[in-house]
Amino acid sequence: MSDIRYRHWISSMGRRSAASAHQLKTLPPTSEAFVENVKRPHFQACIWRSALTGEAPDMDPLENSWVSDDDFGVLMPVTLPPQTEMAPAAVMKLIQCGCSSETPCSTERCGCVAGQMSCSAFCRCRAEIRACRNRWTLLKQRIEDANDSDEDESNDEDDSDD
């Protein structure tokens, strides 16, 4: 699926003007994004189906493409699994936001925020946590930090077994 979407995107970009060719919202979803986007409606359908019985489904939203955002006390959709590239590196070099305000990437005027994507090293903000205010970048960083700490804990447990 990812290869087909990439080829389709390249061919459709060839027919557009240079000004519109590199907008983030034109990127089609990857295979990994497709899987995540199927899990959420499946989970929702299970909830709706169980509404008539009065018993909640025995499913954890955190295992069905949602992540807890403790800062805001809400569940946020996972659009891509952690450490998954949104697009091939050649495409990501072409795509970037140019936010230059005091709080870059904090509004929908940012192409990355509008596309519900985290900023990258190619953006003007360089996706640096101290500068970038894109909620998707911050969420991605929290998920990566949580995964890193989980890996560290599992490595510590493996070391203690010896």
Side-chain angles (χ1 to χ4, degrees):
M1 181 183 245
S2 292
D3 183 50
I4 292 170
R5 84 172 177 103
Y6 177 68
R7 284 188 276 146
H8 174 72
W9 186 77
I10 294 296
S11 69
S12 67
M13 288 298 103
R15 291 176 275 186
R16 295 184 183 216
S17 69
S20 66
H22 303 114
Q23 294 180 357
L24 292 170
K25 62 186 175 186
T26 64
L27 279 176
T30 63
S31 299
E32 296 84 1
F34 175 76
V35 169
E36 297 302 317
N37 286 304
V38 168
K39 287 180 183 178
R40 284 191 308 278
H42 172 72
F43 179 71
Q44 185 65 51
C46 290
I47 290 173
W48 288 342
R49 186 176 301 147
S50 68
L52 296 175
T53 65
E55 294 181 26
D58 188 24
M59 297 173 72
D60 183 2
L62 301 179
E63 293 177 5
N64 288 281
S65 213
W66 293 93
V67 65
S68 178
D69 185 345
D70 296 331
D71 293 342
F72 297 104
V74 298
L75 290 175
M76 299 282 292
V78 174
T79 54
L80 277 175
Q83 285 93 25
T84 302
E85 295 298 322
M86 290 182 263
V91 172
M92 291 307 293
K93 287 180 183 177
L94 300 172
I95 296 175
Q96 59 183 306
C97 70
C99 298
S100 59
S101 68
E102 288 183 24
T103 55
C105 313
S106 60
T107 67
E108 292 288 324
R109 291 178 64 193
C110 170
C112 297
V113 173
Q116 296 184 350
M117 296 171 25
S118 63
C119 290
S120 71
F122 303 108
C123 295
R124 184 173 287 173
C125 67
R126 304 250 187 266
E128 293 178 359
I129 298 304
R130 59 186 152 87
C132 182
R133 296 292 171 243
N134 180 338
R135 65 181 174 266
W136 303 102
T137 303
L138 300 173
L139 179 61
K140 180 180 178 186
Q141 186 61 44
R142 280 197 296 263
I143 292 170
E144 288 174 357
D145 290 347
N147 286 341
D148 289 345
S149 67
D150 288 346
E151 288 175 11
D152 291 343
E153 288 175 12
S154 68
N155 287 339
D156 291 344
E157 289 173 7
D158 291 344
D159 293 343
S160 65
D161 290 343
D162 293 339

